[in-house]
Amino acid sequence: MHTPFHHKPLVFFVSAALFGSALILPGCNSSSDSNTATTGVTSAESLKRFATVPLGSEVTGMYITEAGDFFYNAQHPSSSNYYPNNNATTGVLTGQDMNRLAGDFAPLAVPVSDVDKQSFMTAVGHYQAVAAQGDTFSGDLPFGLGAIVSADGTNIIAYSDDPDFNAFIPTNAEFSEGYLFTNWEYRPGGMSRLHLSKGSSGNWSVLNAMNVDFSTVGGTWVNCFGTLSPWNTPLTSEELYFDDTALWNEGSDSGVINLTGYLGYPIDGSGAWPNPYRYGYIGEITNPTTAPVPEKRFALGRFSHENAVVMPDRKTVYLSDDGSNVVFFKFVADVAGDLSAGTLYAAQVTQDIGVTDPALAGFDITWIELARGDEAIIAGWIADYDAVTVADYVSGATSYITDEEVVTWAAGSAADDRVAFLEARKAAAAKGATAEFNKMEGVNINYARAADGTVPYMVMAMSDISGGMSDTVGDIQLSANRCGVVYRMMLDTTTWDTTRMEPLVAGGPYDAAASVNQCATDNIANPDNVLILNDGRVVIGEDSSKHENNMIWIYTPGN
């Protein structure tokens, strides 16, 4: 059993400091005296506010290119913001190479004026809105960016104001031209591809645009965060917020009804019905710079994917699972660079003895093998449920995999391993894995620096320490932290295994009675997207209602 992490994580038990902000024009930046954290922090470590997004927005799609361009989005901004910051936006930081960001930059002040609160604020550089919800780009997207269009391309199913994951694939050595892939979360979901070019001024322009066609895989579902594979294919995540598969064919869920419309089925349930086991996977976009083709990687398991990150061996993949009472997964491919077949594992964690403070408590990790899977075989199991319709629904029963089948599989008595891949979260729990994590968000590495051993760790955001993580049963029994924690996991750079999860940055303090900013403004609130810079600093983006403006932070580890 390990003792708690030997350096003290960033956690605050004092009121947030107040920082003034001069009135500025919309979109300009502003800085203040340093808000480097000092309470309980060694001199080497710091937490600095780097940016804020307009009121109502969540920070999504954080991605940094090898040239240092920093893409990120403002998801679902407030409709009362001034135009154009009332539109969902994907954009890029200009005027600053993030790979050469000096550690002594002056941190951004908390926005105070109404103009600042409704603006994109940055400590350095300038945020350029490259594209916004509804943009048509001279007819390339006739229904507008964010439109979810039916499989036959004729009908608008919905409009999404939730851009998420970005990945930029360059087409020249300078990284000044290439393709930006962006997720659009909805039920069903979508993904856009913008052909971008950067001019001599540093600003970007859209040369053309398209939506990725998911009709060949039956559409997609709530496309969340993601990563770019080491072989330059976007890995989009289907965040399957549909915990009870038994209710899928009940017939009243609006998302499933939307999906029937996408597929061209009768929305009243009188005919064919979508198969739930076709959704909830990592989707790999092959041929990304020519004619993109989505392939769902069934062997990585079906659950509520936040994102997947591939290790430098091109075989080991870590996968986060968003929601309540969720599981941390690992996949090891049979062949490097090929995610179609391999072995799926789930984490069983052991909390440090006698430590319940989430700012201090770490976990030992044991990986439980679930099964080896092959995409072609799993596809056959999925097809077994294609004929299920609303007419088959019986209240209190299920037309799909039963809990009894899960138990039979876990006991080793099932005819096949479909449970492991089609009901991966239930399978993991039945095998003894820890199914108690709450709001597990992004997991990431710095690929190049992990590969050369200079930054040999992975980080994961846990947005809200509550629920199964803060009760008195099971593997995890922490005190609640409604502002969240970012964890670090060291990697064995030979096997790419990890056996330990430790807190790196803990949010708070939390004041439930506050009308705004229930989480202290000099600390993180509900971390979501995470990145690691080349020097090991961690970039943290928020998805929070507990900060009036969601923020991006730069954290410098003390060791």
Side-chain angles (χ1 to χ4, degrees):
M1 180 67 61
H2 287 267
T3 56
F5 203 13
H6 63 274
H7 95 274
K8 187 171 183 179
L10 283 172
V11 59
F12 309 112
F13 299 100
V14 294
S15 298
L18 296 178
F19 298 96
S21 177
L23 179 65
I24 60 171
L25 295 175
C28 293
N29 61 32
S30 173
S31 62
S32 73
D33 294 337
S34 174
N35 65 325
T36 300
T38 56
T39 304
V41 179
T42 67
S43 59
E45 60 186 343
S46 66
L47 181 69
K48 294 184 178 183
R49 188 181 304 102
F50 183 80
T52 59
V53 291
L55 286 172
S57 304
E58 169 188 343
V59 177
T60 63
M62 297 200 315
Y63 182 87
I64 298 174
T65 72
E66 290 184 35
D69 295 294
F70 182 20
F71 289 93
Y72 60 94
N73 306 327
Q75 188 180 98
H76 55 64
S78 171
S79 60
S80 62
N81 290 343
Y82 68 80
Y83 177 83
N85 290 351
N86 57 347
N87 290 322
T89 302
T90 182
V92 62
L93 185 74
T94 63
Q96 174 63 53
D97 179 344
M98 286 296 288
N99 294 328
R100 292 175 172 80
L101 176 67
D104 60 355
F105 72 87
L108 180 70
V110 176
V112 174
S113 73
D114 287 343
V115 171
D116 285 4
K117 290 178 182 180
Q118 295 180 47
S119 300
F120 289 91
M121 307 292 291
T122 59
V124 298
H126 176 86
Y127 184 81
Q128 181 200 351
V130 174
Q133 178 192 16
D135 286 350
T136 59
F137 307 108
S138 301
D140 288 345
L141 292 175
F143 297 113
L145 193 65
I148 308 299
V149 183
S150 59
D152 63 10
T154 60
N155 299 314
I156 300 172
I157 304 301
Y159 283 100
S160 170
D161 64 351
D162 292 339
D164 209 304
F165 162 60
N166 290 309
F168 182 77
I169 302 176
T171 55
N172 63 19
E174 294 78 28
F175 281 75
S176 61
E177 186 173 338
Y179 294 96
L180 180 71
F181 287 80
T182 303
N183 282 341
W184 291 86
E185 290 191 47
Y186 211 79
R187 297 167 173 82
M191 174 181 265
S192 59
R193 188 190 77 171
L194 304 181
H195 187 182
L196 301 184
S197 177
K198 182 165 66 173
S200 58
S201 67
N203 283 342
W204 293 79
S205 59
V206 179
L207 303 179
N208 57 65
M210 66 173 291
N211 283 327
V212 175
D213 180 7
F214 282 89
S215 64
T216 57
V217 291
T220 186
W221 185 272
V222 190
N223 301 81
C224 198
F225 194 33
T227 57
L228 190 66
S229 77
W231 47 94
N232 272 351
T233 55
L235 300 177
T236 182
S237 307
E238 293 188 314
E239 193 174 55
L240 188 71
Y241 273 126
F242 207 103
D243 294 338
D244 191 352
T245 308
L247 295 176
W248 182 272
N249 64 329
E250 186 269 339
S252 66
D253 181 81
S254 60
V256 182
I257 291 172
N258 286 343
L259 186 56
T260 66
Y262 169 87
L263 294 169
Y265 299 163
I267 63 173
D268 62 1
S270 61
W273 197 251
N275 180 347
Y277 294 129
R278 297 200 175 278
Y279 310 96
Y281 300 98
I282 294 297
E284 181 173 9
I285 310 301
T286 60
N287 304 319
T289 61
T290 53
V293 176
E295 303 283 351
K296 295 195 182 183
R297 297 306 179 203
F298 301 141
L300 276 66
R302 174 181 173 268
F303 47 92
S304 186
H305 289 275
E306 176 69 18
N307 77 303
V309 59
V310 182
M311 297 295 107
D313 64 355
R314 297 184 167 216
K315 296 176 68 176
T316 305
V317 186
Y318 290 97
L319 307 114
S320 57
D321 181 13
D322 194 358
S324 302
N325 296 309
V326 298
V327 176
F328 183 28
F329 291 93
K330 179 176 73 170
F331 173 81
V332 180
D334 292 347
V335 178
D338 180 356
L339 302 181
S340 67
T343 303
L344 187 63
Y345 299 83
Q348 192 276 329
V349 303
T350 303
Q351 185 175 324
D352 291 334
I353 294 175
V355 186
T356 59
D357 183 348
L360 300 174
F363 306 93
D364 290 330
I365 301 173
T366 300
W367 292 101
I368 296 173
E369 182 175 334
L370 301 183
R372 181 197 169 275
D374 180 282
E375 208 165 89
I377 294 172
I378 299 170
W381 297 333
I382 291 171
D384 288 344
Y385 304 90
D386 280 343
V388 175
T389 71
V390 172
D392 298 301
Y393 178 76
V394 176
S395 179
T398 181
S399 305
Y400 305 106
I401 292 172
T402 66
D403 288 346
E404 291 75 19
E405 288 177 288
V406 174
V407 171
T408 299
W409 171 82
S413 302
D416 56 48
D417 284 321
R418 69 182 63 200
V419 167
F421 301 98
L422 306 191
E423 294 285 358
R425 192 186 294 165
K426 287 185 176 181
K431 281 285 194 179
T434 301
E436 298 170 53
F437 292 105
N438 188 68
K439 291 300 296 173
M440 181 186 289
E441 302 288 352
V443 59
N444 227 329
I445 61 171
N446 182 302
Y447 185 85
R449 297 302 181 262
D452 68 18
T454 57
V455 184
Y457 53 80
M458 176 167 58
V459 292
M460 173 186 281
M462 207 71 65
S463 181
D464 186 346
I465 308 298
S466 62
M469 297 186 74
S470 63
D471 56 18
T472 58
V473 296
D475 298 329
I476 304 176
Q477 299 177 34
L478 298 174
S479 303
N481 184 332
R482 302 307 307 275
C483 303
V485 173
V486 175
Y487 289 91
R488 179 165 68 176
M489 291 166 277
M490 302 304 293
L491 295 162
D492 183 318
T493 55
T494 300
T495 64
W496 298 104
D497 193 21
T498 188
T499 58
R500 179 79 177 156
M501 175 186 292
E502 297 178 322
L504 190 66
V505 187
Y510 173 67
D511 180 3
S515 59
V516 294
N517 296 318
Q518 290 86 3
C519 293
T521 57
D522 60 355
N523 198 3
I524 64 171
N526 305 126
D528 191 315
N529 281 201
V530 285
L531 298 176
I532 302 176
L533 299 179
N534 287 341
D535 59 9
R537 285 179 291 173
V538 180
V539 186
I540 303 166
E542 294 181 345
D543 171 11
S544 181
S545 61
K546 300 179 183 69
H547 276 166
E548 188 174 20
N549 286 87
N550 275 222
M551 306 176 184
I552 299 175
W553 300 85
I554 308 289
Y555 171 66
T556 302
N559 49 27

